[in-house]
Amino acid sequence: MPRLLFALLLLVGATFAPATSIAQTTGQIVEVAVPAPSFSGNLLGTPDTQNAAIYLPPSYDQEPQSRYPVIVLLHGIFDDYGVWLENVGVPGILDRLIATGDVPEPIVVMPNGGNRYGGGFYRNSSVSGDWADYIAEDLLGFVDENFRTLVSEESRAIVGHSMGGYGAINLAITRPGLFSTVWAMSPCCLAATEDLSFGNDAWKRAAAVSNAEDVQQLIDANDFFPIAFLGLITAFSPAPDAAPIHADFPFEVVRGEVILDGPAYDRYLDAFPVRQISQARENLRDLRGLALDVGLDDQFLHIPTGALALSQQLGEERIPHRLDVYDGDHRQQVSERLETVVLPWVGGRLEAPQ
Amino acid sequence: MPRLLFALLLLVGATFAPATSIAQTTGQIVEVAVPAPSFSGNLLGTPDTQNAAIYLPPSYDQEPQSRYPVIVLLHGIFDDYGVWLENVGVPGILDRLIATGDVPEPIVVMPNGGNRYGGGFYRNSSVSGDWADYIAEDLLGFVDENFRTLVSEESRAIVGHSMGGYGAINLAITRPGLFSTVWAMSPCCLAATEDLSFGNDAWKRAAAVSNAEDVQQLIDANDFFPIAFLGLITAFSPAPDAAPIHADFPFEVVRGEVILDGPAYDRYLDAFPVRQISQARENLRDLRGLALDVGLDDQFLHIPTGALALSQQLGEERIPHRLDVYDGDHRQQVSERLETVVLPWVGGRLEAPQ
Amino acid sequence: MPRLLFALLLLVGATFAPATSIAQTTGQIVEVAVPAPSFSGNLLGTPDTQNAAIYLPPSYDQEPQSRYPVIVLLHGIFDDYGVWLENVGVPGILDRLIATGDVPEPIVVMPNGGNRYGGGFYRNSSVSGDWADYIAEDLLGFVDENFRTLVSEESRAIVGHSMGGYGAINLAITRPGLFSTVWAMSPCCLAATEDLSFGNDAWKRAAAVSNAEDVQQLIDANDFFPIAFLGLITAFSPAPDAAPIHADFPFEVVRGEVILDGPAYDRYLDAFPVRQISQARENLRDLRGLALDVGLDDQFLHIPTGALALSQQLGEERIPHRLDVYDGDHRQQVSERLETVVLPWVGGRLEAPQ
Amino acid sequence: MPRLLFALLLLVGATFAPATSIAQTTGQIVEVAVPAPSFSGNLLGTPDTQNAAIYLPPSYDQEPQSRYPVIVLLHGIFDDYGVWLENVGVPGILDRLIATGDVPEPIVVMPNGGNRYGGGFYRNSSVSGDWADYIAEDLLGFVDENFRTLVSEESRAIVGHSMGGYGAINLAITRPGLFSTVWAMSPCCLAATEDLSFGNDAWKRAAAVSNAEDVQQLIDANDFFPIAFLGLITAFSPAPDAAPIHADFPFEVVRGEVILDGPAYDRYLDAFPVRQISQARENLRDLRGLALDVGLDDQFLHIPTGALALSQQLGEERIPHRLDVYDGDHRQQVSERLETVVLPWVGGRLEAPQ
């Protein structure tokens, strides 16, 4: 649940009128309610209006003729855009980077990505809703309509962390021509290994869930892995008719052991990026910048493994990219790296007026 | 716990005197108690006398001058040698293969490998005891002394399943000149991935064990993965001074998350065969036969992954071997494959009198 | 050039009438001329009638009601079917294996695969002709029509060596339902690495060929690698309009250095089996038997590398198979392995009348 | 051969006395002759005095109390330090980066690395001389003695291109505590694959060389690969007693085919970095910065393959690093990347006075 009270904008234009003649040195955060038809008919009760936060750069009000490049930030599971504003400190980071000229003034868009199971993985699903379409169409459409953006691939970048890192890669693979620069920070779910493998017996607890009370019990027990797995399986292996979870689990648990279902397992594995690079290579080669990073002490063991495997696949398919493997964990360096590495690198690739 | 009553042999020699003039067509099973100094001082209470079953071939009594090649069979975790005799049907398999001439008459040695946590992984450990030494010295020494074996590498093979498959590979790596032929069936623990990864949250329950009652609770709950992990960690990462488990867990659990301890993690990973092939390549190249097989639907997901990774390592180090990847699970094909594939292949490599 | 004089059969039926009542213990070799419309319009002058040798098993004439399973043998580059008859000694091998009952009596079909550049790689090409179609349709159609074969996948196997090993894999990938058992011995061309890489500067000499005299000069100089590369490039990267070689070389040589042409390089690499396993996995999983072997001292360095890479791909796509990595070179073990390993394994998977 | 006339410094100190009171904005190049006892007794006639170029930063003369961090630049095969000065334009790059504050003022040391066969690979060899010792001891000792350097690991970085990229990695692996930051640009020779594989038949021409005239013939024919291979084999597989080349070729050419010599091949392969990461992991983890980059269209096909393989090995051994895979070839981006990516990244990790 969002940890912010939203000042929802009904008349977006009216909001930005500070009309001061003094040069602003800080940007402003605007919180918006975005119509999200991409969620119509989803089976998880995700509302078809979604909140998002928008960072408008310091000059936005003073220079009403200016248009700005767009950076989308995708957060991780069990979070909302508040994590960017509060924990990571994105507004201050942007203000500083703009002040030093390290990043051209951008509009930064921070959508929510959460649902009943922690998140929708920014991926289209017949059960959890078409999250990729939401970002690509509903959200960017709304932003391009209501704010003075530069509407072109060359002026659009996407950065995500963890589940959002996956989301950024997924959009790069499936939506050519939308973003020209992509950075996935500690991206989850590139490959179904280690803690994400069906060998993690938290899957058994996920597969045993049959109703909302079961989910609540897991929440009460701080047992988040099975809940996240419900988010994952409804995003990656949706099956609208398969009540109660509406997902196609590619395994059964028989006497405590995992028995794989071959064809379903195939389909499930094929949904992960390490198996999609080959078909998507033209899309990915067209990017101006593609990068991923990972801390070696990531608490989620599949993340280093998956990032290395993706880099290798990218290399084999002759796709330019940058890989940063650093000494750190899943969260502690996010703020610092965003400021010193990620945003300067992303900003340097965005087309913006001089 | 053994599912057999043992007719322990105190005077081994006296037992074999059926003195019949009719040609035998079936072998006999002899159950022996083997002095096992390799377990002295182990911290898990594993007794220093160990039972084993010995298959003596049909001609053994009629031909008192004959000497026979030796095949050692290593069973899996939570089992004992009874699994070979009853579930797999080794005596009947051997009788049939000998009758058709597909395998030269062997003495087949079936030790126990179990301990308080399911098994010692046939590996030397300052906590669980020197299981590799037990097989290589105590057991083979006993057999060579008390039975008419051919005492040479060329006449000795080892076959193991699951934990025993690991054990066979481990002995091939660490004990050059002992066996000339090795087959690891569905070998566990070649690499610390998937269900064996610290990403499997059964590790959290293993790390929370602090006394025998905790272990009993896991047993009562049929929660075997954490117990097996205690067996694994005491075998692969023993630390005699680290009560209560006497093991060096290479991670901590902090707020439900796995925090790796780098140096301990290094040491732990280095103990797995995929990281030992390079140093052991001369030992492994000297073998007459090295093979491993795996079913693609193995319930223990690290086993297919690990077998493929080991084969790749063997190939990179230019070590001859055979890899069979088949359609099947962890157990159902063991009996059939032992009879139709494994023992004929092993038998064909054993030096035996015509 | 064929090293045999062919006794071409115009009236195939008339040939098999020895009508002796004594049980034959050796098979007979029949040499046939197969109409090969698959070569119509090829640009290398490969004739549209192709010779082949057929081994008919000992009982073929005595049991005119019997039908027999079929094994196709594909030879390597710069060879013809004579290599099976003379160097490898296939007829004697078959006679012995049939006598001991290790292989059910088969009809064994040995086509030619050579062309102006050494060979057509048993692959469809708009320049070198549709070699895969020739095997699958022209040749098998001819054999099924003129000999008493069992006409079903379950009774058909294919074995190839070197270029023929590639051919066997290629047919398994592209022609589901034709063969149920496939063994690739020391298969070439699974991946474009090592000596097959454009890093091998023999490619520069291949790219410099502009007419038949250039080819003859290479032959006179015993410089076979460039010629084989012309065979490879016309098979894997044909371009009918690109005179003189009619191939799309995915590189240029500029000042002695290889400059890759990205899109052409993509297409070329995609033509190799290591990149085709994923799409072909259903075809390959349906096989009863799929095996490949390789000697670690193979003179053609890409062959061990490629075989290991293919096995790994097969494993990742969950495709059952056998990999034998042995101590040996490209040729010396072919005869022995065919008799002791390959044909017994293949024969054991063929459906044949009792 | 060096393309510069050297103004060799006999009295180094005397050279730096421009004594101007105007702030310099450009650095100066000093060319020095370095005593190189590491080459004593080498069998290739490499002289034991070696020329090098030193860039002294703009403030060097004005601030006689200042000490400066050190960056060593290692050039590629068939080059000398002139390539940095002329082709790459290092002095101008440094002047600009210092002017903008993107890099702290460094002393930049550019040794020569060439020998009779193109280069010594900055590697110790009993035949080509101890090139690693030359860099680590002779050269750095000379520089620390004669110039006002900051003498500590934290203030020392190394950057190399191609053969020099290999050299930088090799020094990182073998010389802990010398450099804290390492960037290998398009590093050669990380793995013996593709054009570096014995599958490249340029090796056959290298193995056929028996005297200086043969080498000259190759030079006259612009046939540089075999010469480079002589440089490689004398560096990686030296054998002082094996005249005429004084190297242990791990293969023979028999009837035009490569026959590997197993044990020699092992030793040779083990000398490449992809096989040394595991043992060197502590050394490499201690670095502040380790990076490698490669262009996907590198003319030397083993370079992209090797860089990807090294990154994967680094990841598996949990060693922090950065990998940049870019759209480009072996040379054209070197200058631009050095200025916009490499030196700013390296400079940001060097300890320097404010």
Side-chain angles (χ1 to χ4, degrees):
Chain A
M1 267 160 298
R3 288 156 305 174
L4 290 178
L5 286 179
F6 293 99
L8 299 183
L9 297 178
L10 295 182
L11 290 165
V12 171
T15 314
F16 317 129
T20 157
S21 59
I22 302 164
Q24 286 284 122
T25 59
T26 60
Q28 54 186 310
I29 296 296
V30 181
E31 301 186 272
V32 296
V34 181
S38 296
F39 295 116
S40 82
N42 85 80
L43 304 185
L44 301 188
T46 298
D48 63 2
T49 298
Q50 287 282 321
N51 298 323
I54 317 275
Y55 171 92
L56 299 175
S59 77
Y60 194 85
D61 291 343
Q62 278 80 13
E63 303 182 10
Q65 312 309 328
S66 290
R67 292 190 163 271
Y68 300 87
V70 171
I71 303 174
V72 176
L73 298 184
L74 302 181
H75 65 73
I77 199 167
F78 297 118
D79 255 319
D80 57 39
Y81 66 66
V83 73
W84 295 121
L85 302 180
E86 298 170 11
N87 306 51
V88 178
V90 162
I93 290 173
L94 288 166
D95 291 346
R96 288 191 294 276
L97 290 171
I98 291 166
T100 56
D102 285 322
V103 164
E105 287 191 289
I107 292 173
V108 177
V109 181
M110 291 162 274
N112 277 337
N115 68 10
R116 174 194 295 179
Y117 299 136
F121 291 82
Y122 309 102
R123 180 181 169 84
N124 284 354
S125 156
S126 54
V127 169
S128 52
D130 290 338
W131 279 94
D133 290 354
Y134 165 65
I135 301 295
E137 293 163 22
D138 305 348
L139 177 69
L140 284 178
F142 177 90
V143 170
D144 285 339
E145 195 173 334
N146 290 288
F147 298 90
R148 299 195 310 277
T149 58
L150 289 163
V151 183
S152 83
E153 175 184 2
E154 286 73 21
S155 299
R156 240 187 252 121
I158 188 161
V159 174
H161 175 251
S162 198
M163 177 181 82
Y166 165 78
I169 298 279
N170 183 44
L171 283 158
I173 287 174
T174 59
R175 288 283 179 160
L178 197 62
F179 300 100
S180 60
T181 301
V182 177
W183 190 302
M185 305 179 76
S186 304
C188 89
C189 313
L190 303 179
T193 57
E194 313 296 324
D195 50 338
L196 221 56
S197 154
F198 294 124
N200 180 356
D201 72 7
W203 274 108
K204 297 172 190 167
R205 299 199 298 286
V209 166
S210 63
N211 54 44
E213 283 159 38
D214 292 344
V215 175
Q216 192 55 48
Q217 279 191 349
L218 292 167
I219 294 173
D220 294 345
N222 287 324
D223 192 5
F224 289 105
F225 249 114
I227 305 172
F229 284 167
L230 295 177
L232 193 76
I233 201 84
T234 48
F236 281 68
S237 191
D241 297 337
I245 299 300
H246 305 296
D248 192 5
F249 284 87
F251 65 89
E252 280 185 297
V253 178
V254 178
R255 285 184 299 279
E257 293 182 348
V258 168
I259 311 295
L260 295 171
D261 169 354
Y265 192 41
D266 280 348
R267 285 191 300 273
Y268 177 77
L269 293 180
D270 285 350
F272 285 82
V274 286
R275 297 228 184 185
Q276 299 182 323
I277 297 306
S278 177
Q279 297 103 297
R281 65 187 175 197
E282 291 309 329
N283 296 354
L284 296 172
R285 285 176 184 162
D286 284 345
L287 296 172
R288 286 188 173 190
L290 171 61
L292 63 166
D293 65 20
V294 69
L296 287 164
D297 295 324
D298 202 296
Q299 289 84 339
F300 304 97
L301 297 191
H302 76 283
I303 293 184
T305 306
L308 285 164
L310 195 83
S311 170
Q312 208 65 9
Q313 283 291 320
L314 292 169
E316 283 178 17
E317 296 293 340
R318 298 168 39 79
I319 296 163
H321 69 284
R322 171 177 174 177
L323 170 72
D324 277 21
V325 178
Y326 60 88
D327 193 8
D329 79 348
H330 191 60
R331 302 183 192 92
Q332 290 176 7
Q333 283 86 341
V334 169
S335 189
E336 182 205 333
R337 286 188 58 82
L338 199 64
E339 181 160 0
T340 61
V341 180
V342 177
L343 286 176
W345 190 88
V346 166
R349 278 157 181 77
L350 282 179
E351 219 159 81
Q354 287 308 77
Chain B
M1 268 159 300
R3 289 157 303 175
L4 289 177
L5 285 180
F6 294 100
L8 299 182
L9 298 178
L10 295 182
L11 290 164
V12 172
T15 314
F16 316 128
T20 158
S21 58
I22 302 164
Q24 285 285 121
T25 59
T26 61
Q28 56 185 307
I29 296 297
V30 180
E31 301 186 270
V32 296
V34 181
S38 296
F39 294 116
S40 82
N42 83 82
L43 303 185
L44 302 188
T46 297
D48 64 2
T49 297
Q50 288 282 321
N51 298 324
I54 317 276
Y55 171 93
L56 299 176
S59 76
Y60 193 86
D61 291 344
Q62 278 80 12
E63 303 182 9
Q65 312 310 328
S66 290
R67 292 189 162 270
Y68 301 87
V70 170
I71 302 174
V72 175
L73 299 184
L74 302 181
H75 66 72
I77 200 168
F78 296 118
D79 255 319
D80 58 38
Y81 65 67
V83 73
W84 295 121
L85 302 180
E86 298 169 12
N87 306 51
V88 179
V90 162
I93 289 172
L94 289 167
D95 291 346
R96 288 190 293 275
L97 290 170
I98 291 166
T100 56
D102 285 322
V103 164
E105 286 190 289
I107 290 172
V108 177
V109 180
M110 292 162 273
N112 277 338
N115 69 10
R116 174 195 295 179
Y117 299 136
F121 291 81
Y122 308 102
R123 181 181 167 84
N124 285 354
S125 156
S126 54
V127 170
S128 52
D130 291 338
W131 278 94
D133 290 355
Y134 165 64
I135 301 295
E137 293 163 22
D138 305 348
L139 177 69
L140 284 178
F142 178 90
V143 170
D144 285 339
E145 194 173 334
N146 290 288
F147 298 90
R148 298 194 314 274
T149 59
L150 289 163
V151 183
S152 83
E153 177 185 0
E154 286 75 21
S155 300
R156 241 189 249 120
I158 188 162
V159 174
H161 175 252
S162 197
M163 178 181 81
Y166 164 79
I169 298 280
N170 184 43
L171 283 158
I173 288 174
T174 59
R175 288 284 178 159
L178 197 62
F179 300 100
S180 60
T181 301
V182 177
W183 191 302
M185 304 179 77
S186 304
C188 90
C189 312
L190 303 180
T193 56
E194 314 295 326
D195 50 338
L196 221 57
S197 154
F198 294 124
N200 181 356
D201 72 7
W203 274 109
K204 298 172 190 167
R205 300 198 299 285
V209 165
S210 64
N211 54 43
E213 283 159 37
D214 292 343
V215 175
Q216 191 56 46
Q217 279 190 348
L218 292 168
I219 294 173
D220 294 346
N222 286 324
D223 192 4
F224 288 105
F225 248 114
I227 306 173
F229 285 167
L230 295 177
L232 193 76
I233 202 83
T234 48
F236 280 68
S237 192
D241 296 337
I245 299 300
H246 306 294
D248 193 4
F249 283 87
F251 66 89
E252 278 185 298
V253 179
V254 178
R255 285 185 298 280
E257 292 181 350
V258 169
I259 311 294
L260 295 171
D261 169 353
Y265 192 41
D266 281 349
R267 286 191 299 273
Y268 177 76
L269 292 180
D270 287 349
F272 285 82
V274 286
R275 297 229 183 185
Q276 299 183 323
I277 297 306
S278 177
Q279 298 102 298
R281 65 188 176 197
E282 291 308 330
N283 296 355
L284 296 171
R285 285 175 184 163
D286 285 345
L287 295 171
R288 288 189 171 188
L290 171 61
L292 62 166
D293 65 22
V294 69
L296 287 164
D297 295 323
D298 201 295
Q299 289 85 339
F300 304 98
L301 297 191
H302 76 282
I303 293 184
T305 305
L308 284 164
L310 195 84
S311 170
Q312 208 65 8
Q313 283 291 318
L314 292 169
E316 283 178 18
E317 296 294 340
R318 298 168 40 78
I319 296 163
H321 69 285
R322 170 177 175 177
L323 170 71
D324 278 21
V325 178
Y326 59 88
D327 192 9
D329 80 348
H330 191 59
R331 302 184 191 92
Q332 289 175 7
Q333 282 86 342
V334 170
S335 188
E336 182 205 331
R337 286 188 57 83
L338 200 64
E339 180 160 0
T340 62
V341 180
V342 178
L343 286 176
W345 191 88
V346 166
R349 279 155 180 78
L350 282 179
E351 219 158 81
Q354 287 309 74
Chain C
M1 268 157 299
R3 290 157 303 174
L4 289 177
L5 285 180
F6 295 101
L8 300 183
L9 298 177
L10 296 181
L11 290 164
V12 172
T15 314
F16 317 129
T20 158
S21 58
I22 302 165
Q24 286 284 122
T25 58
T26 60
Q28 55 185 310
I29 296 296
V30 181
E31 303 186 270
V32 296
V34 181
S38 296
F39 294 116
S40 81
N42 84 82
L43 304 184
L44 302 188
T46 297
D48 63 2
T49 297
Q50 288 281 322
N51 299 324
I54 317 275
Y55 171 93
L56 299 176
S59 77
Y60 194 85
D61 291 343
Q62 279 80 12
E63 303 183 10
Q65 313 309 329
S66 289
R67 292 189 161 272
Y68 301 86
V70 170
I71 302 174
V72 175
L73 299 184
L74 303 181
H75 66 73
I77 198 167
F78 296 117
D79 255 320
D80 57 37
Y81 65 66
V83 72
W84 293 122
L85 301 180
E86 298 170 11
N87 306 51
V88 179
V90 162
I93 290 173
L94 288 166
D95 292 345
R96 287 191 293 276
L97 289 171
I98 291 166
T100 56
D102 285 322
V103 164
E105 285 191 290
I107 291 172
V108 177
V109 181
M110 291 162 274
N112 277 337
N115 68 11
R116 173 194 296 180
Y117 299 137
F121 291 82
Y122 309 102
R123 179 180 170 84
N124 284 354
S125 157
S126 54
V127 170
S128 52
D130 291 338
W131 278 95
D133 291 353
Y134 164 65
I135 302 295
E137 292 162 23
D138 305 349
L139 177 69
L140 284 178
F142 178 90
V143 170
D144 285 339
E145 194 174 333
N146 289 288
F147 298 91
R148 299 195 312 275
T149 59
L150 288 163
V151 183
S152 83
E153 176 184 0
E154 287 74 21
S155 299
R156 241 189 251 119
I158 189 162
V159 174
H161 175 251
S162 199
M163 178 181 81
Y166 165 79
I169 298 280
N170 183 44
L171 282 158
I173 287 174
T174 58
R175 288 281 179 163
L178 197 62
F179 300 101
S180 59
T181 301
V182 177
W183 190 302
M185 304 179 78
S186 305
C188 89
C189 312
L190 303 180
T193 57
E194 313 296 326
D195 49 339
L196 220 57
S197 155
F198 294 124
N200 181 357
D201 71 8
W203 275 108
K204 297 172 190 166
R205 299 198 300 285
V209 166
S210 64
N211 54 44
E213 283 159 39
D214 293 344
V215 175
Q216 190 57 47
Q217 280 192 348
L218 292 167
I219 293 173
D220 293 346
N222 286 324
D223 192 5
F224 288 105
F225 249 114
I227 306 172
F229 284 168
L230 294 177
L232 194 76
I233 201 83
T234 48
F236 280 69
S237 191
D241 296 337
I245 300 300
H246 306 294
D248 192 4
F249 283 88
F251 66 90
E252 279 184 297
V253 179
V254 178
R255 285 185 296 280
E257 293 182 348
V258 168
I259 311 294
L260 295 171
D261 169 353
Y265 193 41
D266 281 349
R267 285 192 300 274
Y268 177 76
L269 292 180
D270 286 350
F272 285 83
V274 286
R275 298 229 184 183
Q276 300 182 323
I277 297 307
S278 177
Q279 298 102 297
R281 66 186 175 198
E282 292 308 330
N283 296 356
L284 296 171
R285 285 176 184 161
D286 284 345
L287 296 171
R288 286 189 173 188
L290 171 61
L292 62 167
D293 64 22
V294 69
L296 287 164
D297 294 324
D298 201 295
Q299 288 84 337
F300 304 98
L301 296 192
H302 75 282
I303 293 184
T305 306
L308 285 164
L310 195 84
S311 170
Q312 209 64 11
Q313 283 292 319
L314 292 169
E316 282 178 18
E317 296 293 341
R318 299 168 41 77
I319 297 163
H321 68 285
R322 171 176 174 177
L323 170 71
D324 278 21
V325 179
Y326 59 88
D327 193 8
D329 80 349
H330 192 58
R331 302 185 192 91
Q332 290 175 6
Q333 283 86 343
V334 169
S335 188
E336 182 206 330
R337 286 188 57 83
L338 199 65
E339 179 159 0
T340 61
V341 180
V342 178
L343 286 176
W345 190 87
V346 166
R349 279 157 181 77
L350 282 179
E351 219 159 82
Q354 286 310 73
Chain D
M1 268 157 299
R3 289 154 305 173
L4 289 178
L5 284 180
F6 294 101
L8 299 182
L9 297 177
L10 295 181
L11 290 165
V12 172
T15 313
F16 317 128
T20 160
S21 58
I22 302 164
Q24 286 284 123
T25 58
T26 59
Q28 55 185 310
I29 297 295
V30 181
E31 302 186 89
V32 296
V34 182
S38 296
F39 294 116
S40 81
N42 84 81
L43 304 185
L44 303 186
T46 298
D48 64 2
T49 298
Q50 287 283 320
N51 298 325
I54 318 275
Y55 171 92
L56 298 176
S59 77
Y60 194 85
D61 290 343
Q62 280 79 10
E63 302 182 11
Q65 313 309 328
S66 290
R67 292 189 161 271
Y68 301 87
V70 171
I71 302 174
V72 176
L73 299 184
L74 303 181
H75 66 72
I77 199 167
F78 296 118
D79 256 320
D80 58 38
Y81 66 66
V83 72
W84 294 122
L85 302 180
E86 298 169 11
N87 307 50
V88 178
V90 162
I93 289 172
L94 288 166
D95 291 346
R96 289 190 292 276
L97 290 171
I98 291 166
T100 55
D102 285 323
V103 164
E105 286 191 290
I107 292 172
V108 176
V109 181
M110 291 162 274
N112 278 336
N115 68 10
R116 172 193 298 178
Y117 299 137
F121 292 81
Y122 309 102
R123 178 181 170 86
N124 285 353
S125 156
S126 54
V127 170
S128 52
D130 291 338
W131 278 95
D133 290 354
Y134 165 64
I135 301 295
E137 292 162 22
D138 304 349
L139 177 69
L140 284 178
F142 178 90
V143 170
D144 285 340
E145 194 173 334
N146 290 288
F147 298 90
R148 298 195 311 277
T149 59
L150 288 163
V151 183
S152 82
E153 175 185 0
E154 286 74 22
S155 300
R156 240 189 252 120
I158 188 162
V159 174
H161 174 250
S162 197
M163 178 181 81
Y166 165 79
I169 298 280
N170 183 43
L171 283 158
I173 287 173
T174 58
R175 287 283 180 160
L178 197 62
F179 301 100
S180 60
T181 301
V182 177
W183 190 302
M185 304 179 78
S186 305
C188 88
C189 313
L190 303 179
T193 56
E194 313 295 326
D195 50 338
L196 222 57
S197 154
F198 294 124
N200 181 355
D201 71 8
W203 275 108
K204 297 172 190 166
R205 300 198 298 285
V209 165
S210 64
N211 55 44
E213 283 158 38
D214 292 343
V215 174
Q216 192 56 46
Q217 281 192 346
L218 292 168
I219 294 173
D220 294 345
N222 287 324
D223 192 4
F224 289 105
F225 249 113
I227 306 172
F229 284 167
L230 295 177
L232 193 77
I233 201 84
T234 49
F236 280 68
S237 191
D241 296 337
I245 300 301
H246 306 295
D248 192 5
F249 284 87
F251 65 89
E252 279 185 297
V253 178
V254 178
R255 284 185 298 279
E257 294 182 347
V258 168
I259 310 293
L260 295 171
D261 169 353
Y265 193 42
D266 281 348
R267 286 191 300 273
Y268 177 76
L269 292 180
D270 286 350
F272 285 82
V274 286
R275 298 228 184 184
Q276 299 182 323
I277 297 306
S278 176
Q279 297 101 299
R281 66 186 176 199
E282 291 309 329
N283 296 355
L284 296 172
R285 285 176 184 162
D286 284 346
L287 296 171
R288 286 188 174 191
L290 171 61
L292 63 167
D293 65 21
V294 70
L296 286 165
D297 295 323
D298 202 294
Q299 288 84 336
F300 304 98
L301 296 192
H302 76 282
I303 294 184
T305 305
L308 285 164
L310 195 84
S311 170
Q312 208 65 10
Q313 283 290 318
L314 292 169
E316 282 177 19
E317 296 294 340
R318 299 167 40 78
I319 296 164
H321 69 284
R322 171 177 173 177
L323 170 71
D324 278 21
V325 178
Y326 60 88
D327 193 8
D329 80 348
H330 191 59
R331 303 185 191 90
Q332 291 175 5
Q333 283 85 343
V334 169
S335 189
E336 183 205 330
R337 286 189 57 82
L338 200 65
E339 180 159 359
T340 62
V341 180
V342 177
L343 286 176
W345 190 87
V346 166
R349 279 157 181 76
L350 282 179
E351 219 159 83
Q354 286 311 74

